[in-house]
Amino acid sequence: MKKNIESAVLKRIDHYKEIALDLHAHPEICNEEFYACNCLSTLCTQEGFNVTVGVAGHPTGFDARYQAQKTGPVIVFLAEYDALPGIGHACGHNLFGVTSILAATALKSLIDEVGGEIRIYGTPGEEGGTNGSAKASFVRDHYFDDVDAALCVHPGHLHSLTVETLANDPVDVAFFGKPSHAAAAPELGINALEALIQVFNASNAMRQHLPKDVMIHGIITDGGVAPNIVPEYAKGRFYLRANTRSTLRDVYTRFENIVKGAALSTGCEYEFGLFQNAVDDTIITPSFDNLYLKHLQDYGHHVVSRDGSTFGSSDVGNVSYVVPTIQPTINISDTFIAGHSPEFKAAACSPQGLESIQLGAQLLALTALDLILSPDLLQAIKKEHQERISNQS
């Protein structure tokens, strides 16, 4: 069966590399991935999947399925294809999406024999933005209710197993004041910018009383129009992060109280809340990762420990709270490259980056095949997953 999967991948790899390069040349940001969505959903249709485009509240999301007549587990391959504003595909999602689809297609060549259902969920906006982090929408809309496991692999500068990611609440803070001449009649004005600055100052004061894993970082997106006009409107955007969702719930409440206090002390009105889906931390299921590791080692590769370092935030975490999920990283550079950098963008269309598609697809397909062929192993992984979730609460 391994040879069948390898043969299916090898037969298609050149075409999939061309698609990855095409996506790299046509970067699109959160919920604007119309070119990529059309390209990848069409590819899924050509590979024999039943495809629905525009799902879970995202016009550039898709759901591709193939079900064998013989019953078996439901396995989902997660596909990302959004780029970053300004810099383009500097996180390698042009590789990410095609790798998942190639893995699903390779497994499909065996699914009628072994049984089960294969799905590919095209999930927009992993990098965030308005209505971003679409995997949370898929979870909310019950796309994982009947799923047994989810898989994907992320490009990186080394091979590693699934890494810890941070829970993230992306919030907007807006204050509404009253304009006036800043010199002639400042007493008639209500300064919205002053309220926003108080949020920054109070957040900094709160940091020393927060757990060490908590991060608060923000920017001012609107601070007024002229120095001699009291700002009637000010807006900021903040990321609130923590190692776990349970910790972040408390941080969110405390931060909202800061916003309320700033409004009260300045006389402003305010608006506060998420501008996109909340992102959960990642629940790691070691026995699931070990299946992937075995195949990686069979191909002569080894993982590198990240020494407990985290991997930012990813909406793969939302999926990991409902089904066993893996997101290892796969090597696309022999030297360190920082994510979201020009170097990473270059690696994502390099020969080595393109070669990762073949290896990644084979590893994901073989790992998923293990779950289908070993029902007891799948149940053990699901049990471990539930125990890990219980430990987080």
PDB file of all heavy atoms in Angstrom, residues 342-375:
ATOM      1  N   PRO A 342      11.079  37.920   3.927  1.00  0.00           N
ATOM      2  CA  PRO A 342      11.406  37.733   2.507  1.00  0.00           C
ATOM      3  C   PRO A 342      12.121  36.407   2.245  1.00  0.00           C
ATOM      4  O   PRO A 342      11.929  35.798   1.184  1.00  0.00           O
ATOM      5  CB  PRO A 342      12.313  38.932   2.203  1.00  0.00           C
ATOM      6  CG  PRO A 342      11.935  39.970   3.207  1.00  0.00           C
ATOM      7  CD  PRO A 342      11.585  39.207   4.451  1.00  0.00           C
ATOM      8  N   GLU A 343      12.949  35.968   3.204  1.00  0.00           N
ATOM      9  CA  GLU A 343      13.665  34.701   3.045  1.00  0.00           C
ATOM     10  C   GLU A 343      12.691  33.521   2.999  1.00  0.00           C
ATOM     11  O   GLU A 343      12.881  32.572   2.227  1.00  0.00           O
ATOM     12  CB  GLU A 343      14.670  34.523   4.174  1.00  0.00           C
ATOM     13  CG  GLU A 343      15.819  35.516   4.164  1.00  0.00           C
ATOM     14  CD  GLU A 343      15.451  36.888   4.696  1.00  0.00           C
ATOM     15  OE1 GLU A 343      14.379  37.016   5.355  1.00  0.00           O
ATOM     16  OE2 GLU A 343      16.211  37.847   4.460  1.00  0.00           O
ATOM     17  N   PHE A 344      11.656  33.578   3.826  1.00  0.00           N
ATOM     18  CA  PHE A 344      10.669  32.499   3.822  1.00  0.00           C
ATOM     19  C   PHE A 344       9.881  32.512   2.512  1.00  0.00           C
ATOM     20  O   PHE A 344       9.587  31.457   1.928  1.00  0.00           O
ATOM     21  CB  PHE A 344       9.721  32.635   5.017  1.00  0.00           C
ATOM     22  CG  PHE A 344       9.096  31.340   5.439  1.00  0.00           C
ATOM     23  CD1 PHE A 344       9.438  30.736   6.633  1.00  0.00           C
ATOM     24  CD2 PHE A 344       8.159  30.708   4.636  1.00  0.00           C
ATOM     25  CE1 PHE A 344       8.878  29.534   7.024  1.00  0.00           C
ATOM     26  CE2 PHE A 344       7.572  29.508   5.020  1.00  0.00           C
ATOM     27  CZ  PHE A 344       7.939  28.920   6.216  1.00  0.00           C
ATOM     28  N   LYS A 345       9.536  33.710   2.049  1.00  0.00           N
ATOM     29  CA  LYS A 345       8.825  33.824   0.772  1.00  0.00           C
ATOM     30  C   LYS A 345       9.638  33.196  -0.358  1.00  0.00           C
ATOM     31  O   LYS A 345       9.095  32.470  -1.204  1.00  0.00           O
ATOM     32  CB  LYS A 345       8.546  35.292   0.468  1.00  0.00           C
ATOM     33  CG  LYS A 345       7.855  35.534  -0.859  1.00  0.00           C
ATOM     34  CD  LYS A 345       7.640  37.019  -1.097  1.00  0.00           C
ATOM     35  CE  LYS A 345       7.007  37.275  -2.465  1.00  0.00           C
ATOM     36  NZ  LYS A 345       6.802  38.730  -2.700  1.00  0.00           N
ATOM     37  N   ALA A 346      10.941  33.453  -0.365  1.00  0.00           N
ATOM     38  CA  ALA A 346      11.808  32.876  -1.397  1.00  0.00           C
ATOM     39  C   ALA A 346      11.874  31.361  -1.279  1.00  0.00           C
ATOM     40  O   ALA A 346      11.855  30.634  -2.292  1.00  0.00           O
ATOM     41  CB  ALA A 346      13.203  33.486  -1.304  1.00  0.00           C
ATOM     42  N   ALA A 347      11.947  30.857  -0.044  1.00  0.00           N
ATOM     43  CA  ALA A 347      12.016  29.406   0.166  1.00  0.00           C
ATOM     44  C   ALA A 347      10.737  28.716  -0.282  1.00  0.00           C
ATOM     45  O   ALA A 347      10.757  27.565  -0.727  1.00  0.00           O
ATOM     46  CB  ALA A 347      12.302  29.105   1.634  1.00  0.00           C
ATOM     47  N   ALA A 348       9.611  29.414  -0.189  1.00  0.00           N
ATOM     48  CA  ALA A 348       8.321  28.818  -0.530  1.00  0.00           C
ATOM     49  C   ALA A 348       8.153  28.572  -2.019  1.00  0.00           C
ATOM     50  O   ALA A 348       7.223  27.862  -2.426  1.00  0.00           O
ATOM     51  CB  ALA A 348       7.184  29.704  -0.017  1.00  0.00           C
ATOM     52  N   CYS A 349       9.033  29.139  -2.838  1.00  0.00           N
ATOM     53  CA  CYS A 349       8.988  28.831  -4.271  1.00  0.00           C
ATOM     54  C   CYS A 349      10.319  28.282  -4.761  1.00  0.00           C
ATOM     55  O   CYS A 349      10.559  28.214  -5.981  1.00  0.00           O
ATOM     56  CB  CYS A 349       8.583  30.064  -5.069  1.00  0.00           C
ATOM     57  SG  CYS A 349       9.734  31.451  -5.000  1.00  0.00           S
ATOM     58  N   SER A 350      11.175  27.894  -3.841  1.00  0.00           N
ATOM     59  CA  SER A 350      12.491  27.347  -4.191  1.00  0.00           C
ATOM     60  C   SER A 350      12.367  25.870  -4.567  1.00  0.00           C
ATOM     61  O   SER A 350      11.369  25.208  -4.257  1.00  0.00           O
ATOM     62  CB  SER A 350      13.442  27.480  -3.001  1.00  0.00           C
ATOM     63  OG  SER A 350      13.041  26.610  -1.950  1.00  0.00           O
ATOM     64  N   PRO A 351      13.378  25.313  -5.227  1.00  0.00           N
ATOM     65  CA  PRO A 351      13.355  23.868  -5.523  1.00  0.00           C
ATOM     66  C   PRO A 351      13.156  23.025  -4.268  1.00  0.00           C
ATOM     67  O   PRO A 351      12.404  22.037  -4.288  1.00  0.00           O
ATOM     68  CB  PRO A 351      14.718  23.629  -6.167  1.00  0.00           C
ATOM     69  CG  PRO A 351      15.065  24.934  -6.807  1.00  0.00           C
ATOM     70  CD  PRO A 351      14.533  25.983  -5.868  1.00  0.00           C
ATOM     71  N   GLN A 352      13.826  23.389  -3.170  1.00  0.00           N
ATOM     72  CA  GLN A 352      13.666  22.618  -1.939  1.00  0.00           C
ATOM     73  C   GLN A 352      12.256  22.748  -1.385  1.00  0.00           C
ATOM     74  O   GLN A 352      11.684  21.774  -0.877  1.00  0.00           O
ATOM     75  CB  GLN A 352      14.684  23.076  -0.890  1.00  0.00           C
ATOM     76  CG  GLN A 352      14.684  22.209   0.367  1.00  0.00           C
ATOM     77  CD  GLN A 352      15.851  22.508   1.277  1.00  0.00           C
ATOM     78  OE1 GLN A 352      16.810  23.164   0.891  1.00  0.00           O
ATOM     79  NE2 GLN A 352      15.790  22.016   2.504  1.00  0.00           N
ATOM     80  N   GLY A 353      11.694  23.944  -1.477  1.00  0.00           N
ATOM     81  CA  GLY A 353      10.319  24.128  -1.032  1.00  0.00           C
ATOM     82  C   GLY A 353       9.350  23.282  -1.833  1.00  0.00           C
ATOM     83  O   GLY A 353       8.460  22.624  -1.272  1.00  0.00           O
ATOM     84  N   LEU A 354       9.532  23.267  -3.123  1.00  0.00           N
ATOM     85  CA  LEU A 354       8.649  22.469  -3.982  1.00  0.00           C
ATOM     86  C   LEU A 354       8.820  20.973  -3.737  1.00  0.00           C
ATOM     87  O   LEU A 354       7.853  20.203  -3.807  1.00  0.00           O
ATOM     88  CB  LEU A 354       8.913  22.805  -5.448  1.00  0.00           C
ATOM     89  CG  LEU A 354       8.573  24.248  -5.868  1.00  0.00           C
ATOM     90  CD1 LEU A 354       9.041  24.508  -7.291  1.00  0.00           C
ATOM     91  CD2 LEU A 354       7.088  24.522  -5.726  1.00  0.00           C
ATOM     92  N   GLU A 355      10.047  20.533  -3.434  1.00  0.00           N
ATOM     93  CA  GLU A 355      10.275  19.117  -3.134  1.00  0.00           C
ATOM     94  C   GLU A 355       9.527  18.677  -1.885  1.00  0.00           C
ATOM     95  O   GLU A 355       9.181  17.500  -1.728  1.00  0.00           O
ATOM     96  CB  GLU A 355      11.769  18.846  -2.974  1.00  0.00           C
ATOM     97  CG  GLU A 355      12.556  18.858  -4.268  1.00  0.00           C
ATOM     98  CD  GLU A 355      12.063  17.815  -5.255  1.00  0.00           C
ATOM     99  OE1 GLU A 355      11.739  16.685  -4.827  1.00  0.00           O
ATOM    100  OE2 GLU A 355      11.991  18.130  -6.458  1.00  0.00           O
ATOM    101  N   SER A 356       9.261  19.616  -0.967  1.00  0.00           N
ATOM    102  CA  SER A 356       8.568  19.257   0.277  1.00  0.00           C
ATOM    103  C   SER A 356       7.149  18.774   0.022  1.00  0.00           C
ATOM    104  O   SER A 356       6.572  18.066   0.856  1.00  0.00           O
ATOM    105  CB  SER A 356       8.545  20.457   1.231  1.00  0.00           C
ATOM    106  OG  SER A 356       7.598  21.445   0.813  1.00  0.00           O
ATOM    107  N   ILE A 357       6.579  19.147  -1.102  1.00  0.00           N
ATOM    108  CA  ILE A 357       5.203  18.722  -1.413  1.00  0.00           C
ATOM    109  C   ILE A 357       5.131  17.208  -1.513  1.00  0.00           C
ATOM    110  O   ILE A 357       4.217  16.573  -0.958  1.00  0.00           O
ATOM    111  CB  ILE A 357       4.719  19.371  -2.723  1.00  0.00           C
ATOM    112  CG1 ILE A 357       4.709  20.897  -2.599  1.00  0.00           C
ATOM    113  CG2 ILE A 357       3.333  18.861  -3.092  1.00  0.00           C
ATOM    114  CD1 ILE A 357       4.466  21.611  -3.924  1.00  0.00           C
ATOM    115  N   GLN A 358       6.081  16.612  -2.212  1.00  0.00           N
ATOM    116  CA  GLN A 358       6.077  15.155  -2.386  1.00  0.00           C
ATOM    117  C   GLN A 358       6.242  14.441  -1.046  1.00  0.00           C
ATOM    118  O   GLN A 358       5.467  13.542  -0.708  1.00  0.00           O
ATOM    119  CB  GLN A 358       7.184  14.734  -3.341  1.00  0.00           C
ATOM    120  CG  GLN A 358       7.260  13.215  -3.552  1.00  0.00           C
ATOM    121  CD  GLN A 358       8.285  12.821  -4.604  1.00  0.00           C
ATOM    122  OE1 GLN A 358       8.771  13.657  -5.348  1.00  0.00           O
ATOM    123  NE2 GLN A 358       8.614  11.541  -4.660  1.00  0.00           N
ATOM    124  N   LEU A 359       7.254  14.839  -0.285  1.00  0.00           N
ATOM    125  CA  LEU A 359       7.483  14.188   1.003  1.00  0.00           C
ATOM    126  C   LEU A 359       6.301  14.403   1.937  1.00  0.00           C
ATOM    127  O   LEU A 359       5.818  13.453   2.579  1.00  0.00           O
ATOM    128  CB  LEU A 359       8.766  14.729   1.643  1.00  0.00           C
ATOM    129  CG  LEU A 359       9.094  14.188   3.038  1.00  0.00           C
ATOM    130  CD1 LEU A 359       9.297  12.673   2.998  1.00  0.00           C
ATOM    131  CD2 LEU A 359      10.322  14.885   3.610  1.00  0.00           C
ATOM    132  N   GLY A 360       5.812  15.639   2.024  1.00  0.00           N
ATOM    133  CA  GLY A 360       4.707  15.937   2.931  1.00  0.00           C
ATOM    134  C   GLY A 360       3.456  15.160   2.592  1.00  0.00           C
ATOM    135  O   GLY A 360       2.771  14.635   3.479  1.00  0.00           O
ATOM    136  N   ALA A 361       3.147  15.067   1.294  1.00  0.00           N
ATOM    137  CA  ALA A 361       1.953  14.332   0.881  1.00  0.00           C
ATOM    138  C   ALA A 361       2.072  12.853   1.226  1.00  0.00           C
ATOM    139  O   ALA A 361       1.106  12.228   1.697  1.00  0.00           O
ATOM    140  CB  ALA A 361       1.726  14.518  -0.617  1.00  0.00           C
ATOM    141  N   GLN A 362       3.233  12.282   0.999  1.00  0.00           N
ATOM    142  CA  GLN A 362       3.435  10.866   1.330  1.00  0.00           C
ATOM    143  C   GLN A 362       3.304  10.628   2.830  1.00  0.00           C
ATOM    144  O   GLN A 362       2.656   9.664   3.275  1.00  0.00           O
ATOM    145  CB  GLN A 362       4.805  10.406   0.822  1.00  0.00           C
ATOM    146  CG  GLN A 362       4.872  10.327  -0.700  1.00  0.00           C
ATOM    147  CD  GLN A 362       6.281  10.095  -1.242  1.00  0.00           C
ATOM    148  OE1 GLN A 362       6.477   9.948  -2.441  1.00  0.00           O
ATOM    149  NE2 GLN A 362       7.273  10.082  -0.357  1.00  0.00           N
ATOM    150  N   LEU A 363       3.909  11.481   3.625  1.00  0.00           N
ATOM    151  CA  LEU A 363       3.867  11.314   5.078  1.00  0.00           C
ATOM    152  C   LEU A 363       2.438  11.438   5.610  1.00  0.00           C
ATOM    153  O   LEU A 363       2.012  10.633   6.461  1.00  0.00           O
ATOM    154  CB  LEU A 363       4.767  12.351   5.746  1.00  0.00           C
ATOM    155  CG  LEU A 363       6.271  12.209   5.493  1.00  0.00           C
ATOM    156  CD1 LEU A 363       7.024  13.413   6.047  1.00  0.00           C
ATOM    157  CD2 LEU A 363       6.809  10.921   6.110  1.00  0.00           C
ATOM    158  N   LEU A 364       1.700  12.425   5.134  1.00  0.00           N
ATOM    159  CA  LEU A 364       0.326  12.601   5.613  1.00  0.00           C
ATOM    160  C   LEU A 364      -0.562  11.439   5.177  1.00  0.00           C
ATOM    161  O   LEU A 364      -1.376  10.930   5.969  1.00  0.00           O
ATOM    162  CB  LEU A 364      -0.242  13.917   5.096  1.00  0.00           C
ATOM    163  CG  LEU A 364       0.344  15.204   5.677  1.00  0.00           C
ATOM    164  CD1 LEU A 364      -0.320  16.427   5.033  1.00  0.00           C
ATOM    165  CD2 LEU A 364       0.177  15.264   7.198  1.00  0.00           C
ATOM    166  N   ALA A 365      -0.421  11.013   3.932  1.00  0.00           N
ATOM    167  CA  ALA A 365      -1.256   9.915   3.435  1.00  0.00           C
ATOM    168  C   ALA A 365      -0.965   8.619   4.183  1.00  0.00           C
ATOM    169  O   ALA A 365      -1.894   7.880   4.562  1.00  0.00           O
ATOM    170  CB  ALA A 365      -1.032   9.733   1.940  1.00  0.00           C
ATOM    171  N   LEU A 366       0.301   8.320   4.425  1.00  0.00           N
ATOM    172  CA  LEU A 366       0.660   7.089   5.136  1.00  0.00           C
ATOM    173  C   LEU A 366       0.206   7.135   6.595  1.00  0.00           C
ATOM    174  O   LEU A 366      -0.228   6.113   7.150  1.00  0.00           O
ATOM    175  CB  LEU A 366       2.166   6.871   5.050  1.00  0.00           C
ATOM    176  CG  LEU A 366       2.701   6.507   3.663  1.00  0.00           C
ATOM    177  CD1 LEU A 366       4.228   6.580   3.638  1.00  0.00           C
ATOM    178  CD2 LEU A 366       2.225   5.119   3.248  1.00  0.00           C
ATOM    179  N   THR A 367       0.294   8.300   7.212  1.00  0.00           N
ATOM    180  CA  THR A 367      -0.163   8.433   8.600  1.00  0.00           C
ATOM    181  C   THR A 367      -1.669   8.237   8.680  1.00  0.00           C
ATOM    182  O   THR A 367      -2.172   7.541   9.573  1.00  0.00           O
ATOM    183  CB  THR A 367       0.219   9.822   9.157  1.00  0.00           C
ATOM    184  OG1 THR A 367       1.633   9.993   9.067  1.00  0.00           O
ATOM    185  CG2 THR A 367      -0.218   9.960  10.600  1.00  0.00           C
ATOM    186  N   ALA A 368      -2.400   8.831   7.749  1.00  0.00           N
ATOM    187  CA  ALA A 368      -3.854   8.646   7.726  1.00  0.00           C
ATOM    188  C   ALA A 368      -4.219   7.192   7.456  1.00  0.00           C
ATOM    189  O   ALA A 368      -5.179   6.657   8.039  1.00  0.00           O
ATOM    190  CB  ALA A 368      -4.467   9.554   6.666  1.00  0.00           C
ATOM    191  N   LEU A 369      -3.460   6.530   6.588  1.00  0.00           N
ATOM    192  CA  LEU A 369      -3.716   5.116   6.294  1.00  0.00           C
ATOM    193  C   LEU A 369      -3.562   4.266   7.552  1.00  0.00           C
ATOM    194  O   LEU A 369      -4.338   3.324   7.775  1.00  0.00           O
ATOM    195  CB  LEU A 369      -2.772   4.642   5.199  1.00  0.00           C
ATOM    196  CG  LEU A 369      -2.919   3.183   4.750  1.00  0.00           C
ATOM    197  CD1 LEU A 369      -4.303   2.936   4.165  1.00  0.00           C
ATOM    198  CD2 LEU A 369      -1.830   2.820   3.733  1.00  0.00           C
ATOM    199  N   ASP A 370      -2.590   4.594   8.394  1.00  0.00           N
ATOM    200  CA  ASP A 370      -2.425   3.866   9.663  1.00  0.00           C
ATOM    201  C   ASP A 370      -3.703   3.927  10.494  1.00  0.00           C
ATOM    202  O   ASP A 370      -4.096   2.935  11.120  1.00  0.00           O
ATOM    203  CB  ASP A 370      -1.275   4.471  10.472  1.00  0.00           C
ATOM    204  CG  ASP A 370       0.092   4.145   9.900  1.00  0.00           C
ATOM    205  OD1 ASP A 370       0.194   3.196   9.109  1.00  0.00           O
ATOM    206  OD2 ASP A 370       1.057   4.855  10.247  1.00  0.00           O
ATOM    207  N   LEU A 371      -4.348   5.093  10.520  1.00  0.00           N
ATOM    208  CA  LEU A 371      -5.572   5.254  11.309  1.00  0.00           C
ATOM    209  C   LEU A 371      -6.702   4.387  10.767  1.00  0.00           C
ATOM    210  O   LEU A 371      -7.494   3.821  11.536  1.00  0.00           O
ATOM    211  CB  LEU A 371      -6.010   6.721  11.300  1.00  0.00           C
ATOM    212  CG  LEU A 371      -5.015   7.752  11.838  1.00  0.00           C
ATOM    213  CD1 LEU A 371      -5.604   9.153  11.729  1.00  0.00           C
ATOM    214  CD2 LEU A 371      -4.626   7.446  13.275  1.00  0.00           C
ATOM    215  N   ILE A 372      -6.765   4.276   9.448  1.00  0.00           N
ATOM    216  CA  ILE A 372      -7.829   3.494   8.831  1.00  0.00           C
ATOM    217  C   ILE A 372      -7.598   1.996   9.024  1.00  0.00           C
ATOM    218  O   ILE A 372      -8.540   1.236   9.311  1.00  0.00           O
ATOM    219  CB  ILE A 372      -7.929   3.836   7.335  1.00  0.00           C
ATOM    220  CG1 ILE A 372      -8.342   5.302   7.155  1.00  0.00           C
ATOM    221  CG2 ILE A 372      -8.923   2.918   6.626  1.00  0.00           C
ATOM    222  CD1 ILE A 372      -8.278   5.796   5.720  1.00  0.00           C
ATOM    223  N   LEU A 373      -6.350   1.567   8.912  1.00  0.00           N
ATOM    224  CA  LEU A 373      -6.046   0.143   9.002  1.00  0.00           C
ATOM    225  C   LEU A 373      -6.011  -0.383  10.423  1.00  0.00           C
ATOM    226  O   LEU A 373      -6.091  -1.599  10.640  1.00  0.00           O
ATOM    227  CB  LEU A 373      -4.687  -0.137   8.328  1.00  0.00           C
ATOM    228  CG  LEU A 373      -4.596   0.106   6.829  1.00  0.00           C
ATOM    229  CD1 LEU A 373      -3.185  -0.168   6.334  1.00  0.00           C
ATOM    230  CD2 LEU A 373      -5.611  -0.752   6.074  1.00  0.00           C
ATOM    231  N   SER A 374      -5.906   0.492  11.405  1.00  0.00           N
ATOM    232  CA  SER A 374      -5.762   0.069  12.810  1.00  0.00           C
ATOM    233  C   SER A 374      -6.820   0.739  13.675  1.00  0.00           C
ATOM    234  O   SER A 374      -6.550   1.756  14.336  1.00  0.00           O
ATOM    235  CB  SER A 374      -4.363   0.411  13.325  1.00  0.00           C
ATOM    236  OG  SER A 374      -3.362  -0.141  12.497  1.00  0.00           O
ATOM    237  N   PRO A 375      -8.038   0.198  13.702  1.00  0.00           N
ATOM    238  CA  PRO A 375      -9.117   0.805  14.498  1.00  0.00           C
ATOM    239  C   PRO A 375      -8.760   0.940  15.977  1.00  0.00           C
ATOM    240  O   PRO A 375      -9.116   1.944  16.612  1.00  0.00           O
ATOM    241  CB  PRO A 375     -10.293  -0.155  14.287  1.00  0.00           C
ATOM    242  CG  PRO A 375      -9.994  -0.844  12.992  1.00  0.00           C
ATOM    243  CD  PRO A 375      -8.512  -0.971  12.939  1.00  0.00           C
TER     244      PRO A 375
END
